Amino acid sequence: MLKRFTVRNYKNFKDEISLDFSKIGEYSFNEDCLSMRLIYGRNTTGKTNFGRALLDIKSLLCGMQNSGLINEAGAAKFKYEFKFDNDEVVYKYSRFANTELCDEELSINGEDIFKCDFKNNKFDFQGLDRMNTNLYFMNDNHTLSFLRWFVYNTTFSDDSVLIQLFEYVRKMGMITVGHDLLDSNRNFVEDLKNPVYLQSFEDFLNLMGIECKLVLQKLRLYKNS
């Protein structure tokens, strides 16, 4: 559903960096077996910061806390490109800090739905007519996303592309390898109990040059008395 993510001026990503999730390369086995994508590489290359940048949309739309502030050199810019069935959704915004929006815009199938310039108090809501609503937004602070306000204050059908977007964002998560892997990411480990998932994960790692044979074992931890 997430086709491409682009970020600029976030933490150590001063220049624009983009990741195209639609290009799966030689990942030709059943790509539906795993509902995740893996980013791997050497230490200190920015994997964790990129993951935090990717999850920034969750903090913005769902009120989830995101660790780390925006680069002080200027506004951080985020662009998410989604595909839900036949609908293409592009959501862009920028902000100076985790609580201060600079601008925000949404387009669906190439048509602008809204554009908000919070700094200059300029708003274009003409595209809202396509969403069958007459709601309009008045915002004298820069902490509230218009998209979040719009979805929470409008009734949509369950198959609405915006409902699909929010459901996707709500379920986004990041798994990092660390001492708390089992505690904070138990669902990931539980999923690997399915032999199909485990085999697909193993196939992927081997394809990427990490030769391995995976076996899932549950260990009992003992505390020193």
Side-chain angles (χ1 to χ4, degrees):
M1 295 180 182
L2 178 59
K3 289 182 57 180
R4 181 191 293 269
F5 171 66
T6 304
V7 64
R8 180 178 182 181
N9 203 41
Y10 180 89
K11 289 182 172 288
N12 57 312
F13 299 116
K14 181 179 179 180
D15 299 325
E16 182 176 286
I17 181 172
S18 182
L19 187 59
D20 190 341
F21 293 98
S22 66
K23 294 183 178 180
I24 60 175
E26 298 181 14
Y27 187 28
S28 57
F29 53 92
N30 191 349
E31 62 197 76
D32 295 325
C33 286
L34 290 175
S35 59
M36 62 181 177
R37 293 292 184 263
L38 300 175
I39 300 176
Y40 63 96
R42 298 185 301 273
N43 290 338
T44 71
T45 55
K47 300 186 300 297
T48 300
N49 283 344
F50 188 83
R52 288 172 176 168
L54 183 64
L55 287 179
D56 193 82
I57 190 174
K58 188 170 185 177
S59 67
L60 184 69
L61 299 183
C62 303
M64 304 299 293
Q65 183 177 3
N66 195 355
S67 58
L69 296 176
I70 303 305
N71 194 323
E72 295 180 356
K77 300 181 181 297
F78 304 85
K79 180 179 180 180
Y80 299 82
E81 300 173 53
F82 299 92
K83 183 175 177 62
F84 300 99
D85 296 325
N86 296 322
D87 292 316
E88 302 272 352
V89 179
V90 178
Y91 180 53
K92 299 190 293 185
Y93 63 89
S94 64
R95 54 179 173 174
F96 289 112
N98 282 345
T99 57
E100 184 179 0
L101 272 169
C102 196
D103 53 61
E104 179 185 18
E105 60 183 85
L106 175 76
S107 66
I108 299 177
N109 297 325
E111 297 183 351
D112 293 335
I113 304 302
F114 68 79
K115 291 184 178 181
C116 298
D117 181 350
F118 297 103
K119 285 301 183 182
N120 297 303
N121 288 319
K122 295 181 178 180
F123 306 96
D124 182 355
F125 297 130
Q126 294 184 15
L128 290 183
D129 293 340
R130 303 185 185 94
M131 307 303 296
N132 297 319
T133 179
N134 292 318
L135 287 176
Y136 292 93
F137 184 60
M138 300 297 294
N139 182 25
D140 58 0
N141 65 68
H142 306 146
T143 63
L144 180 62
S145 155
F146 170 71
L147 180 57
R148 179 181 178 183
W149 179 91
F150 180 57
V151 170
Y152 278 94
N153 288 276
T154 309
T155 300
F156 296 97
S157 62
D158 291 340
D159 60 351
S160 165
V161 66
L162 293 186
I163 296 300
Q164 294 181 67
L165 171 62
F166 265 69
E167 282 299 301
Y168 180 88
V169 171
R170 184 177 62 83
K171 295 177 182 178
M172 288 175 68
M174 179 174 68
I175 298 170
T176 59
V177 177
H179 68 279
D180 59 347
L181 176 64
L182 292 179
D183 292 332
S184 61
N185 301 289
R186 191 168 301 276
N187 289 338
F188 171 68
V189 178
E190 290 295 323
D191 286 343
L192 291 183
K193 289 182 179 179
N194 185 323
V196 176
Y197 290 179
L198 185 64
Q199 184 62 52
S200 293
F201 190 27
E202 177 186 305
D203 290 345
F204 175 83
L205 293 176
N206 280 278
L207 185 63
M208 294 297 105
I210 304 173
E211 297 183 4
C212 63
K213 176 65 178 177
L214 298 183
V215 177
L216 190 66
Q217 294 182 337
K218 186 174 183 180
L219 303 180
R220 177 174 298 179
L221 301 179
Y222 294 92
K223 292 184 179 179
N224 294 330
S225 58

